[in-house]
């Protein structure tokens, strides 16, 4: 897997941290349960998801999403995407959550 660097300004970082904090408690404020369920019913391998062209699209969508200031604006943006784009952003969101949780875990002594 190739490493992709993304640069965010302070507001975007704060925004992302807030969303990730909520997700740690199982509260996914950007997506309804139906969308999450549909996104994961669709078959998608990690190889397919992490293909360079797909990751470029994910990065564009997430950077656009983070530019919106209000939760309502973010949700409206997500709803404006096609179904496949919505599913892609849901998968990306859960990969980010998983990665975030892994980096926060401490090794047992």
């Amino acid at each position: 897997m190739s490493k992709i660097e993304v640069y965010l300004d302070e507001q975007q970082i704060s925004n992302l941290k807030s969303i990730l904090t909520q997700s740690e408690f199982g509260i996914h404020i950007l997506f309804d349960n139906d969308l999450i369920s549909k996104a994961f019913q669709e078959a998608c391998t990690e190889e397919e998801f992490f293909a360079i062209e797909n990751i470029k699209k994910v990065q564009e969508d997430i950077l656009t999403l983070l530019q919106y200031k209000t939760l309502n604006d973010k949700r409206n943006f997500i709803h404006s995407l096609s179904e496949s784009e919505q599913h892609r952003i849901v998968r990306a969101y859960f990969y980010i959550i998983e990665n975030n949780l892994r980096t926060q875990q401490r090794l047992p002594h």
Side-chain angles (χ1 to χ4, degrees):
M1 174 178 16
S2 63
K3 182 177 179 180
I4 296 177
E5 294 184 26
V6 177
Y7 298 97
L8 303 173
D9 66 30
E10 289 298 318
Q11 181 178 354
Q12 290 170 315
I13 291 170
S14 175
N15 203 333
L16 182 57
K17 284 181 180 179
S18 175
I19 291 168
L20 292 175
T21 298
Q22 294 292 316
S23 71
E24 290 175 15
F25 298 103
I27 302 168
H28 307 295
I29 59 176
L30 294 175
F31 312 105
D32 61 40
N33 290 339
D34 188 49
L35 175 57
I36 294 169
S37 176
K38 285 180 181 177
F40 285 102
Q41 287 174 6
E42 186 178 282
C44 180
T45 66
E46 285 194 6
E47 185 176 288
E48 291 169 331
F49 184 81
F50 287 105
I52 292 297
E53 288 305 313
N54 193 57
I55 290 297
K56 285 180 184 177
K57 292 174 186 174
V58 166
Q59 183 176 349
E60 287 175 21
D61 290 345
I62 289 181
L63 289 175
T64 300
L65 177 71
L66 292 174
Q67 291 176 3
Y68 290 101
K69 296 189 186 312
T70 70
L71 180 58
N72 195 46
D73 288 342
K74 288 177 185 356
R75 288 179 180 158
N76 286 338
F77 167 70
I78 292 165
H79 289 291
S80 76
L81 299 172
S82 71
E83 185 175 273
S84 64
E85 291 168 329
Q86 288 178 12
H87 292 184
R88 183 176 57 229
I89 205 166
V90 167
R91 285 183 179 277
Y93 167 81
F94 278 94
Y95 275 117
I96 291 167
I97 291 169
E98 182 179 10
N99 190 52
N100 188 50
L101 290 172
R102 281 187 192 156
T103 59
Q104 290 181 12
Q105 286 180 339
R106 295 183 182 178
L107 296 176
H109 296 280

